[in-house]
Amino acid sequence: MIKKSLAIVSCFLYLSSCSHSSSGEDLGSYSELGNSKYVIGFSNILEPGSEIALYNDQGEQLEDLAFPGFDLLNSVQTTDNIYIAGHRGYQHAKIERSTGNLSVLKHPESVDGYGGAYQMNVSDGYIFYDVNVGSMEESSGKYISYFVFGKENQEEKIVTELEGTVHTAFLLNDYFYVYTESELITGDDDQLTAESFHNFVLVDKETGEVNDTNVLPIEEDMYPTTTLNDMYTIFNNTIVISYSDNINQSKENQLIAFNWETEETEVVKTFPQPLRPITIIPYEETLIVVSETGVVKILDREYNEVEEYTLEIDFTRVMDFDVNQDQISFMVYKDSSSEFQGEISTFQLIDGQKLNTVPIEYKKDFEQAELIVVD
């Protein structure tokens, strides 16, 4: 099963046993970052102790450094830095491109504590992420998350407390459109009913104040296909989200488009249940939908299918993928006899042509890998 399709609702559980750090301490420096093609974060789902390694374009490991986090599931790059988010324990790593320095990202004191993290992203010079996903507010019994944002290279950050879990955000004009999922639990010990709400919360980028909340009309049992940024994008002047029936797996998968100017939401495309997207990618005038079976559909601006192809790769062994310009790369396990070896295969997005396959060796039997193809 593809790693990024596994991060469903269970991943936000509150884990008081998670090790954590918010001090921003340095963990070492890479001298070979400028010669690297791939940065790979190796981790385990429930066991702390990860490593972040550098590889060249031939798959040779150049350097590696230990990282105290685990369950590394999200990454983003800017001109100055490479970031990797730790899903449990909310560690966020930062690699400075100019120095090669690896550090734990320092969080504001107001969000210090245990929890998790769903998303980390950048836009228009801002970096933003969530922490404490799943922390419980004692007075109301509701889940509380913290949306943290600020200029990338300034230490001071603004913290906005939000109800529910934060999955992603988009900076549009003066506001962050923060996608949250919350639940209303009613009833008694004999019969409890949980009702889910999907929202875009508008957060002022200057003050952090909540300006408005748009509740999205999402069908019952339909949830974002994963909790990671791969299932949310901006295309054709709308925010597009991929939804799946994660409960019964009987309803068709849907692409939902939210128009932030009119605040209207509509289903723009449906796919039969076997075709479950793992990422949606805007490319030129098209939207590319990659499924967990390797089937890729290319949609035009009206969401009509204009082309389809199948990637030549064993998707049952894919650990992670990364999109870089007009290419998509997959890191794949090899069989168990290969002793902790894998490979990275890269394809053209527009037609699925395989460009290369690079062998990768690593030291331990890690369960997960966060693949970053260096810009």
Side-chain angles (χ1 to χ4, degrees):
M1 179 65 71
I2 295 170
K3 181 208 72 176
K4 292 203 175 191
S5 68
L6 293 177
I8 316 293
V9 179
S10 62
C11 288
F12 74 78
L13 293 176
Y14 174 83
L15 295 181
S16 60
S17 62
C18 293
S19 62
H20 75 288
S21 175
S22 62
S23 63
E25 70 266 23
D26 292 338
L27 301 174
S29 293
Y30 299 103
S31 62
E32 296 286 345
L33 184 60
N35 298 321
S36 302
K37 175 66 174 178
Y38 309 106
V39 176
I40 304 177
F42 296 102
S43 62
N44 294 295
I45 297 174
L46 294 175
E47 296 179 4
S50 306
E51 68 179 42
I52 300 175
L54 308 183
Y55 292 83
N56 64 17
D57 57 4
Q58 300 299 309
E60 299 170 332
Q61 186 177 115
L62 304 178
E63 294 175 281
D64 70 284
L65 290 172
F67 184 67
F70 53 106
D71 209 6
L72 306 178
L73 290 179
N74 184 216
S75 59
V76 64
Q77 301 182 60
T78 68
T79 302
D80 297 330
N81 302 296
I82 297 172
Y83 299 94
I84 305 177
H87 200 68
R88 301 177 187 267
Y90 78 85
Q91 294 94 339
H92 295 74
K94 181 177 77 171
I95 304 174
E96 295 181 7
R97 291 184 187 268
S98 60
T99 65
N101 185 64
L102 173 68
S103 62
V104 177
L105 193 66
K106 183 177 182 180
H107 298 307
E109 292 182 1
S110 58
V111 298
D112 190 18
Y114 294 97
Y118 273 125
Q119 65 94 26
M120 170 176 263
N121 221 327
V122 292
S123 179
D124 195 26
Y126 282 82
I127 180 171
F128 43 95
Y129 53 86
D130 66 289
V131 295
N132 276 13
V133 173
S135 65
M136 186 71 75
E137 185 183 60
E138 293 182 3
S139 59
S140 65
K142 296 177 179 178
Y143 284 113
I144 299 297
S145 297
Y146 298 91
F147 180 65
V148 183
F149 66 93
K151 290 292 186 179
E152 181 184 6
N153 292 318
Q154 294 180 357
E155 184 172 319
E156 184 177 353
K157 299 291 186 291
I158 295 175
V159 179
T160 299
E161 181 178 296
L162 298 173
E163 181 182 326
T165 56
V166 177
H167 293 312
T168 193
F170 301 91
L171 179 55
L172 302 168
N173 300 322
D174 296 327
Y175 296 99
F176 287 98
Y177 283 69
V178 185
Y179 184 91
T180 68
E181 181 187 329
S182 57
E183 283 192 330
L184 175 63
I185 300 176
T186 57
D188 52 31
D189 292 340
D190 295 328
Q191 185 173 2
L192 293 176
T193 301
E195 185 177 3
S196 294
F197 296 90
H198 306 260
N199 320 284
F200 272 118
V201 181
L202 276 66
V203 176
D204 190 293
K205 73 174 185 179
E206 299 296 334
T207 66
E209 295 180 356
V210 174
N211 177 270
D212 194 10
T213 298
N214 296 306
V215 180
L216 306 182
I218 306 303
E219 293 182 36
E220 184 180 3
D221 295 338
M222 297 295 284
Y223 297 89
T225 307
T226 79
T227 59
L228 299 175
N229 293 339
D230 305 290
M231 305 319 305
Y232 314 82
T233 194
I234 292 181
F235 178 68
N236 199 15
N237 296 318
T238 60
I239 298 174
V240 181
I241 308 174
S242 174
Y243 283 89
S244 296
D245 179 359
N246 292 337
I247 305 300
N248 303 308
Q249 299 186 4
S250 60
K251 298 178 181 178
E252 289 187 316
N253 301 302
Q254 299 177 343
L255 292 185
I256 304 292
F258 171 75
N259 186 314
W260 60 84
E261 294 181 346
T262 64
E263 298 184 355
E264 294 180 349
T265 305
E266 64 173 328
V267 177
V268 293
K269 190 68 178 179
T270 60
F271 301 108
Q273 185 57 228
L275 197 146
R276 180 186 175 94
I278 61 169
T279 189
I280 49 178
I281 308 160
Y283 179 70
E284 296 181 344
E285 294 295 307
T286 65
L287 185 67
I288 298 177
V289 181
V290 183
S291 76
E292 65 182 11
T293 61
V295 175
V296 178
K297 292 183 179 292
I298 301 180
L299 313 180
D300 63 19
R301 290 175 62 87
E302 284 71 44
Y303 301 96
N304 300 308
E305 296 181 23
V306 295
E307 190 173 346
E308 176 183 311
Y309 61 81
T310 301
L311 295 169
E312 296 180 4
I313 195 169
D314 182 0
F315 268 70
T316 63
R317 294 180 178 269
V318 170
M319 299 172 68
D320 193 26
F321 60 88
D322 191 29
V323 177
N324 189 279
Q325 299 178 16
D326 60 349
Q327 301 173 10
I328 185 168
S329 299
F330 297 88
M331 183 165 175
V332 183
Y333 268 128
K334 296 184 74 174
D335 58 56
S336 57
S337 63
S338 61
E339 294 189 2
F340 316 145
Q341 292 185 359
E343 59 187 25
I344 297 173
S345 293
T346 301
F347 302 83
Q348 289 279 14
L349 271 176
I350 196 63
D351 57 10
Q353 178 185 355
K354 181 179 283 190
L355 300 177
N356 59 52
T357 296
V358 176
I360 295 290
E361 295 186 6
Y362 42 99
K363 298 178 180 178
K364 302 177 183 178
D365 190 13
F366 287 108
E367 296 171 313
Q368 298 186 153
E370 176 65 21
L371 173 65
I372 304 166
V373 181
V374 180
D375 288 338

